[in-house]
């Protein structure tokens, strides 16, 4: 529940950032407006032809009497348009990011600069950046389409298909939308798409809390265009916390820094590997009179040889 609320807060933080930087908000509207025109045209065609598509897809119902034929094809049209709308929400972000790759890359970079410690972008030409973004978007959309087909089929199950399945569908759409929106900041860090999915799967509630409200808001006409710049800014802030730029040394590294290199498994440790070597006993003194070993000032076990914090 904490991650779910945190994801919603990132959306609010992103909208707050663009509200404080009005010029960048207007800059981010340009690709969203272009994509909106394209999607309005496609959805209009789908609405006009949905009845014919339903009749073509259900030829077995041609001889059915009233009201069963109309009921079946009405449900099919509703599910078809709902599926098209859900697919539009998912692909709208991908297409908008693809159209506006230079726009949103600049916006995301500005957000990171305002927060401090902006990672440098990979030294690649623009065409290669667009190709990587297209390839990654297709990879994510194919995964989302698999879930979409399954949820579409389950939508025909009585009662569950009209109550539980739509709620699950919104959460699934929200997760994949979060994957798409975080791709700008992830790509700057040169994180491959499979690793992005792994990172967000590890924090599903965070991704769902960030993406699902955007899915619901994107269903309102023209809201997607207005919120898109803030969604990119919020996704950038989310990535900054999800993928820290510096990592603490692991336990084996800390042990190696404090006591020298460890011996391979199954072999005895080298003398002095786990501490400073003991001095030989002075003449005429037994073990009980051995002087304590001096504290070394440098060497494998000293603080001088330990890696600095964040190394």
């Amino acid at each position: 529940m904490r991650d779910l609320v945190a994801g919603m807060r990132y959306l609010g933080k992103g909208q707050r950032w663009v509200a404080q930087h009005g010029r960048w908000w207007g800059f981010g509207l340009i690709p969203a407006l272009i994509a909106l025109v394209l999607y309005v045209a496609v959805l209009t065609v789908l609405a006009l032809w949905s009845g014919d598509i339903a009749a073509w897809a259900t030829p077995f119902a041609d001889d059915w009497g009233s009201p069963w034929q109309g009921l079946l094809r009405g449900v099919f049209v509703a599910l078809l348009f709902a599926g098209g709308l859900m697919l539009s929400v998912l692909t709208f972000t991908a297409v908008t990011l693809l159209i506006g790759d230079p726009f949103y890359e600049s916006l995301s970079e500005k957000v990171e600069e305002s927060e401090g410690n902006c990672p440098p972008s990979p030294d690649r030409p623009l065409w290669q950046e667009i190709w990587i973004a297209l390839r990654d978007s297709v990879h994510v959309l194919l995964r989302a389409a698999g879930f979409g087909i399954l949820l579409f089929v389950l939508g025909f199950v009585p009662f569950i298909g009209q109550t539980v399945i739509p709620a699950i569908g919104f959460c699934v759409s929200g997760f994949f939308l979060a994957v798409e929106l975080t791709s700008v900041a992830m790509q700057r860090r040169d994180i491959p798409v499979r690793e992005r999915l792994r990172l967000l799967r590890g924090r599903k509630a965070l991704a769902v809390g960030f993406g699902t409200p955007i899915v619901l808001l994107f269903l309102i006409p023209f809201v997607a265009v207005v919120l898109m710049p803030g969604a990119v800014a919020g996704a950038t802030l989310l990535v900054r916390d999800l993928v820290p730029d510096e990592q603490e040394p692991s336990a084996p590294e800390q042990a190696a820094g404090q006591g020298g290199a460890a011996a391979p498994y199954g072999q005895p440790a080298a003398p002095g590997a786990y501490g400073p070597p003991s001095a030989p006993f002075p003449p005429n003194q037994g073990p009980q009179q051995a002087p304590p070993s001096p504290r070394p000032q440098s060497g494998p076990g000293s603080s001088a040889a330990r890696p600095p914090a964040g190394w």
Side-chain angles (χ1 to χ4, degrees):
M1 182 61 69
R2 182 179 301 175
D3 270 358
L4 196 67
V5 176
M8 298 177 186
R9 287 176 178 169
Y10 280 115
L11 177 59
K13 289 178 181 178
Q15 301 302 326
R16 192 180 309 117
W17 191 93
V18 295
Q20 295 170 354
H21 302 77
R23 185 172 67 89
W24 286 98
W25 175 75
F27 185 74
L29 287 180
I30 298 173
L33 286 169
I34 297 172
L36 177 65
V37 173
L38 296 175
Y39 275 88
V40 167
V42 171
L43 288 175
T44 301
V45 171
L46 180 63
L48 293 175
W49 289 86
S50 59
D52 294 334
I53 295 173
W56 171 81
T58 57
F60 55 87
D62 289 341
D63 299 331
W64 289 14
S66 179
W68 305 114
Q69 184 190 77
L71 182 61
L72 174 67
R73 290 180 174 172
V75 170
F76 186 92
V77 168
L79 290 173
L80 179 65
F81 193 77
L85 197 61
M86 181 180 296
L87 187 62
S88 298
V89 171
L90 287 173
T91 58
F92 178 84
T93 303
V95 171
T96 304
L97 291 174
L98 188 63
I99 294 172
D101 184 76
F103 294 83
Y104 294 126
E105 175 62 32
S106 299
L107 172 62
S108 177
E109 188 173 355
K110 186 64 177 180
V111 172
E112 300 224 47
E113 287 177 355
S114 67
E115 296 294 317
N117 194 23
C118 176
S121 300
D123 188 14
R124 289 191 289 255
L126 178 60
W127 68 267
Q128 191 174 2
E129 290 284 343
I130 295 176
W131 165 249
I132 293 174
L134 176 61
R135 182 193 63 192
D136 293 349
S137 294
V138 170
H139 181 87
V140 174
L141 289 175
L142 287 176
R143 287 175 174 263
F147 283 96
I149 293 172
L150 177 61
L151 294 172
F152 180 81
V153 173
L154 293 176
F156 288 96
V157 178
F159 183 72
I160 296 177
Q162 293 76 45
T163 54
V164 178
I165 299 303
I168 296 175
F170 281 121
C171 293
V172 171
S173 300
F175 175 83
F176 285 107
L177 186 60
V179 174
E180 286 289 349
L181 288 169
T182 55
S183 65
V184 178
M186 294 276 198
Q187 189 171 331
R188 183 183 305 108
R189 289 163 172 80
D190 214 13
I191 301 176
V193 63
R194 295 180 186 275
E195 180 66 13
R196 300 174 204 168
L197 288 165
R198 188 192 67 80
L199 286 170
L200 289 172
R201 276 199 304 265
R203 301 284 297 277
K204 289 188 184 72
L206 183 67
V208 171
F210 177 75
T212 303
I214 303 177
V215 171
L216 297 173
L217 290 170
F218 277 15
L219 297 177
I220 305 173
F222 306 108
V223 170
V225 177
V226 177
L227 296 183
M228 191 64 186
V232 173
T236 302
L237 296 172
L238 186 151
V239 170
R240 286 177 62 86
D241 290 344
L242 184 65
V243 187
D245 293 328
E246 296 181 351
Q247 298 181 356
E248 293 295 330
S250 60
E253 292 172 342
Q254 291 177 347
Q258 292 175 359
Y265 180 78
Q267 296 184 15
Y274 301 102
S278 58
F281 296 134
N284 303 324
Q285 290 187 5
Q288 70 277 11
Q289 298 175 348
S293 300
R295 186 186 181 101
Q297 298 302 317
S298 62
S302 68
S303 59
R306 298 176 189 169
W311 177 70

